[in-house]
Amino acid sequence: MRVFIFAAALSSSALGFSSGNSGSSAHSTSQSIEVRQPSKLRMGLLDMLGLGEKKFDAPCVIGDESIMSPKSHGTSATPVQQNLRWKSDGKVADNVCNFNRHYAESRGYWTSTDFVKESKEEYEKNGEIKFYDSNTGKLLFNAPKGRSYDDFIKESVSHGWPSFRDEEVVWDDVRCLANGESVSLAGTHLGHNLPDSTGNRYCINLVSIAGRPTDE
């Protein structure tokens, strides 16, 4: 009983992650209502109770908890970039990336941004979409690989967050901690690895990977 009471008390809205995109005209009223529901990834409670340690198949690279040690700006040395891609909300991004270990942007938030339109254009031009750390601008994901753009979007819609597979992860700068938390080496919280019947699936916050490359 105590576990259920504890879970009910921990809503993502308490941390302000469901605030939406302040000042952005990209959100219609109906979209805003749909995506601003409080959301908390289910494994968060297990993590906080110390029951979340898992085993992950290669090529998932396991990192040490020290990656997320306190730094000058939460778990990172720097706040998120000022002009994030796809009109992603900077305030939500900074909370999720730097002052959070268990919670997520609202389910479906990514569909209320310019991501679908602009990512389709990028894919048609380059054959892939590049995703950069919202703090550092380092490349973290390339997608889609081994599947079509439509398959990537369909899976992301099904799960509620952008969902990546092993071959789409840039392991030079991405790690998974023992409980499945996905992070960048800079200390950016990205999301979680939630494997399914086909293998590792990295459920990632768009606001965490909406950075611009450092050479821009």
Side-chain angles (χ1 to χ4, degrees), residues 195-216:
D196 60 15
S197 60
T198 64
N200 293 316
R201 180 179 64 83
Y202 306 91
C203 186
I204 304 299
N205 295 288
L206 184 70
V207 294
S208 299
I209 52 173
R212 298 181 183 276
T214 50
D215 58 353
E216 282 192 7

Side-chain angles (χ1 to χ4, degrees), residues 40-114:
K40 178 172 71 69
L41 298 184
R42 292 180 180 178
M43 64 284 173
L45 179 59
L46 293 178
D47 297 344
M48 287 181 275
L49 294 177
L51 303 175
E53 188 165 335
K54 306 175 182 69
K55 299 291 184 181
F56 301 107
D57 294 334
C60 182
V61 180
I62 303 301
D64 188 81
E65 177 66 26
S66 62
I67 295 172
M68 301 300 283
S69 62
K71 303 178 185 67
S72 58
H73 191 76
T75 57
S76 176
T78 180
V80 297
Q81 296 174 350
Q82 291 293 312
N83 184 27
L84 295 175
R85 300 175 74 192
W86 310 305
K87 296 182 180 177
S88 299
D89 188 294
K91 181 179 179 180
V92 173
D94 205 45
N95 282 336
V96 171
C97 291
N98 299 316
F99 299 96
N100 160 62
R101 302 293 303 279
H102 307 288
Y103 292 88
E105 68 194 14
S106 299
R107 180 183 179 89
Y109 167 80
W110 63 280
T111 64
S112 70
T113 69
D114 288 348

Side-chain angles (χ1 to χ4, degrees), residues 128-157:
E128 64 180 1
I129 309 153
K130 294 182 181 293
F131 299 83
Y132 300 91
D133 191 321
S134 292
N135 285 322
T136 67
K138 290 187 176 182
L139 182 64
L140 302 180
F141 299 91
N142 278 319
K145 289 185 179 292
R147 55 178 170 169
S148 69
Y149 173 85
D150 287 343
D151 286 342
F152 167 65
I153 293 296
K154 286 177 182 176
E155 181 173 47
S156 298
V157 168

